[in-house]
Amino acid sequence: MAKTVLIVDDSESIREVVNFTLQNEGYDVLVGVDGEDALKFLDGRTIDIVITDLHMPNLDGLGLIRKVREMEAYKHIPILFLTTESQASKKMEAKQAGATGWIIKPFVPAKLLSAISRVLR
Amino acid sequence: MIESIKHIFIEETSRDLHQLNNELQSVSFENISGEVTEKIFRTMHTIKGSAPMFGYNNIAEIVIPVVETYRALSKGRLEFDNQIIEKTKNIVLLIQDELNKGDDHLPANDEEKQMLVSFFTDMNRLNDRTND
């Protein structure tokens, strides 16, 4: 059965690249345009991994991850940050909030796929 | 694949720059809000990450010092002045100009571009010194 990935990014072009990359590899993809929008998908359905941007309007990546970790159904779901941010302090903050991993933009699609495979193994 | 999505990048970046340009027309260093500052930071941050994926390395180079300047401004480590607002307006237009030229033109070495990038780079050096 195909794994389901929730991608969250306020950039349409990045969403398209990630969506295309994942669908091409057989993943089912759900797409949120910011943290607030992504919450609508977290309604008890099966989601295998969340890939989120950090800096977004309405609800940013850190806000999203904190909300997800409060949900019983998604408490242990892997969450990868896909972000331009490379500051160590932000990475630490994300880790403390419950992030599983961190991928820097710009990214090579193969690297993204490999990170997802590693986490879902 | 990337080529087929490039037009989305060009459209969204042009739209974001257009919005920023409109907002910047009505602000001064005395009344710029945290919301507008955050929006400039976020837009520049997005461009920094997405532009190289579509071959616009020249644009990414332009925005890197702007991102760091706005990070410092949003955290109160730097203060706005008229010059920062004016240079931001100019850099928004410069990025749009680079976007219009396409990704395969030779990197511009014009005075205006160098001057703007130097300005924001100097701002970051000032911020680094202040926070040492």
Side-chain angles (χ1 to χ4, degrees):
Chain A
M1 202 174 130
K3 299 281 188 187
T4 301
V5 184
L6 171 58
I7 58 177
V8 192
D9 202 303
D10 61 331
S11 164
E12 187 187 355
S13 53
I14 294 294
R15 288 197 304 270
E16 286 294 324
V17 172
V18 177
N19 193 2
F20 183 93
T21 303
L22 297 184
Q23 285 195 354
N24 221 25
E25 289 294 310
Y27 290 99
D28 286 336
V29 179
L30 302 169
V31 180
V33 301
D34 58 39
E36 194 69 46
D37 187 48
L39 291 175
K40 72 183 179 212
F41 295 112
L42 299 161
D43 55 2
R45 74 184 82 188
T46 301
I47 295 173
D48 296 289
I49 183 169
V50 177
I51 298 172
T52 182
D53 188 14
L54 180 63
H55 298 289
M56 295 181 287
N58 303 318
L59 182 65
D60 67 9
L62 283 171
L64 173 65
I65 199 169
R66 289 185 182 117
K67 281 189 182 289
V68 172
R69 292 301 181 221
E70 285 172 7
M71 298 174 182
E72 199 52 45
Y74 302 107
K75 202 179 258 183
H76 303 294
I77 189 174
I79 303 178
L80 294 179
F81 272 100
L82 179 60
T83 173
T84 311
E85 189 63 69
S86 56
Q87 282 208 322
S89 60
K90 281 287 177 196
K91 284 186 186 176
M92 184 56 75
E93 209 177 335
K95 198 175 172 187
Q96 283 166 353
T100 314
W102 192 276
I103 303 163
I104 301 279
K105 294 176 193 166
F107 64 95
V108 180
K111 196 176 170 186
L112 173 66
L113 291 169
S114 140
I116 294 171
S117 299
R118 242 187 351 262
V119 169
L120 291 180
R121 201 179 291 155
Chain B
M1 178 267 287
I2 296 285
E3 281 300 312
S4 66
I5 303 173
K6 190 189 279 184
H7 72 278
I8 297 175
F9 164 76
I10 294 169
E11 276 176 24
E12 78 171 341
T13 305
S14 296
R15 191 174 56 236
D16 290 347
L17 291 171
H18 183 70
Q19 281 174 4
L20 279 192
N21 191 39
N22 284 346
E23 296 209 33
L24 282 164
Q25 298 314 311
S26 60
V27 301
S28 74
F29 76 96
E30 290 159 318
N31 70 9
I32 187 162
S33 66
E35 197 182 334
V36 173
T37 307
E38 177 64 24
K39 193 169 178 183
I40 296 167
F41 170 74
R42 214 172 42 239
T43 302
M44 295 297 170
H45 213 278
T46 297
I47 294 172
K48 179 184 157 191
S50 52
M53 298 195 64
F54 301 99
Y56 291 87
N57 294 313
N58 52 333
I59 291 179
E61 281 170 26
I62 293 170
V63 298
I64 287 170
V66 186
V67 167
E68 294 312 317
T69 297
Y70 272 81
R71 187 196 302 281
L73 287 164
S74 66
K75 290 185 175 174
R77 295 199 306 252
L78 272 180
E79 282 188 18
F80 273 105
D81 59 23
N82 247 341
Q83 222 186 354
I84 292 177
I85 300 287
E86 289 310 309
K87 299 290 183 193
T88 304
K89 287 177 188 172
N90 292 346
I91 213 137
V92 165
L93 297 176
L94 177 70
I95 296 166
Q96 183 62 61
D97 191 38
E98 291 289 315
L99 200 58
N100 294 343
K101 285 178 189 168
D103 63 341
D104 56 354
H105 75 281
L106 290 170
N109 192 24
D110 53 272
E111 211 176 317
E112 170 75 359
K113 177 182 167 183
Q114 294 307 324
M115 201 180 70
L116 285 169
V117 173
S118 296
F119 172 80
F120 283 101
T121 305
D122 288 347
M123 280 288 121
N124 294 325
R125 288 199 189 112
L126 179 67
N127 172 46
D128 289 345
R129 274 207 303 274
T130 309
N131 289 285
D132 275 348

